[in-house]
Amino acid sequence: MLRLTREKSRWGRSEVWLDVFDWAHTPGLELRVRALWLESRKTLKLDIPTRLRDVGVAAHMPAEIARRPADGREYACHDWVMLEGRLEGQPASLTLVNDGTASYSVDAGRLRSVIARAVPPAEHPPFEYTDDRNVRMLDQGWQERRFGVFADDHAAEPGRAHRRAQELRVPAQAWPDSGHPGEREWEDPVLDIHPASVATLAWRPEHDGSVRLRLQHCGATPVEAAVTWRGVRHMRSMGPWRLGTWCVSRDGIREC
């Protein structure tokens, strides 16, 4: 089941469409922004106000989670940023994941992320443009962005944020097949990996029936990774931000 809300806005010569998808099977909202941005030297941002107090910020960066203040400055990030704070005295968090916006700012519980930034390319002192009439601004024209917004009534979980970002950026693919009764149960996972902070970067089946996995633990503390392959569960320790390549079969798991 899906509930879709569309909002159309105009500002100056520009037009912005915001579609809010409320899917029945997900705890958050999906935002799809389509903007015809025709302004010059102006930035379009997604602005999300919250009621969080005592806000701290965690942002995903390559091979680490950066902790930063909510001081209104713009910072770089990778695919997610999380606000950690308190709501009516209880721990709460809000996570924003994106499919290609590499910056954010947080000020007094307001989270902003850039959608389009119409500025001249490579402009910096002393090379400044004095006449914009013949300058092609960056990000002018049609722009499309996707976001996921997730509010949780508990302390922040970076591992879950990473998994949500991967689900948005790399959606599951469906492969068509001919109709047949099948031999397996309706739900019968072949490969299952826990906890959520352990991401599967790649996998390849081997000729002997085993599978080769490329995993990364996206967290700051060690975990015990549980890998279940064809009904057999194996455990393996992974350090902070550890990358590992494992060969998994019914007989066991080994590094390869």
Side-chain angles (χ1 to χ4, degrees), residues 20-179:
V20 181
F21 292 80
D22 187 1
W23 300 97
H25 61 275
T26 180
L29 298 175
E30 180 183 348
L31 310 180
R32 298 183 186 179
V33 181
R34 191 166 188 261
L36 177 58
W37 194 241
L38 301 176
E39 312 307 313
S40 296
R41 297 186 181 273
K42 292 181 174 60
T43 299
L44 175 66
K45 293 186 177 184
L46 176 70
D47 188 340
I48 303 177
T50 75
R51 295 189 293 125
L52 292 175
R53 298 292 182 266
D54 304 323
V55 175
V57 183
H60 184 209
M61 297 292 288
E64 71 167 337
I65 297 176
R67 303 283 178 176
R68 294 165 176 158
D71 55 7
R73 297 177 57 189
E74 189 168 338
Y75 293 95
C77 70
H78 185 35
D79 51 9
W80 61 262
V81 58
M82 178 185 296
L83 272 61
E84 307 167 298
R86 305 187 71 83
L87 181 61
E88 299 178 354
Q90 300 299 319
S93 61
L94 183 136
T95 304
L96 178 69
V97 303
N98 71 81
D99 70 342
T101 298
S103 70
Y104 73 91
S105 63
V106 179
D107 184 13
R110 299 185 76 95
L111 172 60
R112 298 182 176 95
S113 185
V114 173
I115 297 173
R117 193 193 309 270
V119 295
E123 182 183 38
H124 52 81
F127 305 104
E128 297 180 351
Y129 295 100
T130 58
D131 187 351
D132 290 344
R133 288 178 296 179
N134 296 318
V135 177
R136 177 67 170 90
M137 300 288 174
L138 299 175
D139 287 350
Q140 280 189 336
W142 284 106
Q143 304 291 325
E144 295 186 10
R145 298 290 187 275
R146 292 175 63 224
F147 299 90
V149 183
F150 302 90
D152 296 300
D153 57 354
H154 51 71
E157 298 182 21
R160 179 175 294 181
H162 187 81
R163 180 63 60 86
R164 287 168 171 171
Q166 291 300 306
E167 290 173 352
L168 179 76
R169 297 169 68 98
V170 189
Q173 296 184 4
W175 296 90
D177 198 358
S178 59

Side-chain angles (χ1 to χ4, degrees), residues 163 192-196 198 224-227 233:
R163 180 63 60 86
D192 190 51
I193 300 174
H194 286 282
V198 180
E224 288 292 321
V227 180
R233 187 176 185 181

